[in-house]
Amino acid sequence: MFQSVYLNPLPPSLISTAAKWAWVSFTAFANLPGHFNRSIFDSPWETETDNSTLSKTLNYVNTTDFVAYDKRFLEIIGVDATIEHVQPLAFQSHEAPCYIPDTRQLLFVEWGKPDGDDGIHSWQYLLDVENNTLRKITTDPPTYNVHACVNFQGQLYGVTDGYGDSETGSLVQIDPQSWKATTLLNNFLGQPFGGFNDLEVDPEGNFWLTDSKSGWGRGIVDFAPPNDPSIYFVNKTTMQPKIIWTTTGNANGVAMSPDSKTLYIPDTGVSEFRPSNKNPHGRRMLWAFDVGSQGGVLANQRLLTSPISYFYDGLRVSREGWLFSGSGDGVDVIDPVSGFVLGSIRTGGGENVAVSMAFGEHEMWIVGKGGAWHVKDIKAKLKRDW
């Protein structure tokens, strides 16, 4: 068992588990000796230091599966949890994971340039989670450049970037049995969307869509975004959309609390496009908003947190209200009230990038640069009631 002044002692129940754990001591990290430095895009375990004790600790933590910052993370994840890299894939963004419990399958995509046919993808991956076999499927008609997906009442709802100058970003319903695809929305009264990035469906079936500049930035769509990145609320009955929030940064993930009273939105203006660049001074906030009782109105915007490293991409909320978000080399678990990061589920020594995730009851799948991971036997219940 590795011991260090920079780590809290693990409970005996976690010392001999199949997974490898570390519990960071913020008290010890509060005053570091010697030289140290890292960028916001590097995890803490990539910190440059001339102190040998700190360096050994960082190297050790970089080999772990779960890193705790708060005791509650130990209780959320539990002693039986493991993580497995079930599909090592090209170092290309993978997005839009949707778990289908009836068939024990996971839908996800490979997103954007430089891979594929000039970055245009008419197919999706389908993973059999029992034996971890992977195949490609195509919906009828084909759905191009899916960027996010949510399973709601047995149907899959995906959003797309669009492609070229011939197809705009769309909200699409996909039947996971027949793979029949139906476009529900592809314009705002004649105005094309910039390119959808993510979506949430609330308990009533209304849609919350993030319209971003990522597709334009990667050259997937040819036309410039018609307005700043925005969040759209779409009424399920009338399909009437309206903008409820805009940013000069970039609209990325979106997720709702279990009681439907809070909406969470990460602003990722830290990613700049044309030319593609990561600006450390760009926006990378995670915002929380109160949701009005009539829906479609946001109030009381507050900065919940900014990530310890990288930026928050895909965002999901568990049944107990914990926020899970892709953040560089792992998925951060965030307290929805204080905004403190409780711990991180890591995807492999800083060599991969966690982008988004999908929940089962006590398991989850993470997709990102490097492929797909399966986290099993999590103690907390993850899948929501709707």
Side-chain angles (χ1 to χ4, degrees):
M1 180 183 65
F2 184 85
Q3 293 180 319
S4 170
V5 66
Y6 297 106
L7 300 178
N8 292 314
L10 289 171
S13 58
L14 287 176
I15 292 175
S16 59
T17 60
K20 198 170 182 180
W21 281 78
W23 183 2
V24 171
S25 169
F26 276 101
T27 303
F29 266 91
N31 184 13
L32 296 179
H35 169 78
F36 52 88
N37 189 35
R38 71 174 175 93
S39 83
I40 65 165
F41 301 113
D42 294 328
S43 75
W45 332 124
E46 300 294 329
T47 296
E48 298 175 359
T49 176
D50 57 6
N51 181 272
S52 60
T53 301
L54 177 58
S55 179
K56 289 178 182 177
T57 302
L58 298 175
N59 290 337
Y60 170 78
V61 177
N62 204 33
T63 68
T64 59
D65 302 308
F66 301 102
V67 177
Y69 298 120
D70 187 291
K71 184 178 181 180
R72 288 172 293 173
F73 183 74
L74 312 178
E75 298 164 353
I76 292 168
I77 302 301
V79 300
D80 298 320
T82 59
I83 181 169
E84 180 184 1
H85 195 176
V86 293
Q87 285 293 330
L89 300 170
F91 197 73
Q92 167 77 4
S93 289
H94 296 88
E95 292 262 16
C98 249
Y99 175 53
I100 310 166
D102 290 344
T103 57
R104 291 283 288 166
Q105 294 173 317
L106 181 79
L107 180 84
F108 69 101
V109 305
E110 180 179 281
W111 180 79
K113 294 183 177 182
D115 226 1
D117 182 12
D118 198 28
I120 295 174
H121 300 273
S122 63
W123 51 267
Q124 294 79 40
Y125 279 127
L126 193 65
L127 175 68
D128 185 321
V129 304
E130 293 292 344
N131 55 28
N132 290 323
T133 56
L134 189 68
R135 62 187 175 97
K136 294 178 180 179
I137 62 103
T138 302
T139 65
D140 176 25
T143 307
Y144 288 87
N145 298 325
V146 177
H147 209 138
C149 180
V150 169
N151 188 331
F152 178 71
Q153 296 183 348
Q155 294 290 297
L156 308 184
Y157 293 90
V159 289
T160 76
D161 294 285
Y163 65 91
D165 59 3
S166 60
E167 183 170 312
T168 66
S170 302
L171 168 65
V172 180
Q173 178 178 322
I174 301 172
D175 187 313
Q177 301 297 327
S178 66
W179 298 115
K180 180 70 177 178
T182 304
T183 298
L184 302 180
L185 180 72
N186 68 359
N187 74 96
F188 184 34
L189 289 180
Q191 176 182 290
F193 296 109
F196 290 124
N197 192 295
D198 209 340
L199 80 160
E200 176 67 290
V201 184
D202 66 27
E204 285 72 44
N206 302 305
F207 301 100
W208 308 73
L209 314 175
T210 65
D211 193 31
S212 80
K213 53 189 176 185
S214 300
W216 170 79
R218 292 283 286 271
I220 296 171
V221 294
D222 293 335
F223 56 85
N227 50 261
D228 283 333
S230 303
I231 308 296
Y232 286 85
F233 172 81
V234 183
N235 181 281
K236 67 166 183 178
T237 303
T238 66
M239 294 304 295
Q240 181 178 8
K242 71 166 185 170
I243 291 177
I244 57 173
W245 184 72
T246 62
T247 177
T248 56
N250 198 31
N252 207 314
V254 59
M256 181 168 282
S257 63
D259 62 7
S260 306
K261 293 182 179 180
T262 308
L263 193 72
Y264 306 99
I265 300 171
D267 187 338
T268 56
V270 65
S271 293
E272 297 179 341
F273 302 104
R274 298 199 179 191
S276 179
N277 183 46
K278 295 290 190 295
N279 180 356
H281 302 290
R283 293 172 177 263
R284 57 190 198 106
M285 305 91 155
L286 176 58
W287 298 105
F289 299 81
D290 292 342
V291 178
S293 59
Q294 299 302 312
V297 176
L298 302 181
N300 189 26
Q301 178 180 356
R302 62 250 185 217
L303 176 62
L304 186 63
T305 191
S306 287
I308 293 172
S309 63
Y310 208 64
F311 56 87
Y312 286 142
D313 201 320
L315 182 68
R316 291 293 174 252
V317 182
S318 72
R319 183 179 302 185
E320 298 174 353
W322 308 112
L323 279 68
F324 289 71
S325 189
S327 178
D329 74 341
V331 170
D332 281 356
V333 180
I334 307 159
D335 184 306
V337 178
S338 70
F340 279 118
V341 177
L342 305 181
S344 184
I345 303 166
R346 306 190 65 251
T347 52
E351 296 298 321
N352 303 294
V353 176
V355 173
S356 192
M357 70 288 318
F359 292 156
E361 191 75 10
H362 291 279
E363 59 187 336
M364 65 184 293
W365 290 266
I366 303 168
V367 300
K369 292 183 178 180
W373 293 260
H374 187 190
V375 189
K376 296 189 291 186
D377 298 320
I378 296 172
K379 182 179 179 181
K381 290 184 177 180
L382 300 181
K383 184 178 179 296
R384 299 184 304 193
D385 293 328
W386 81 84

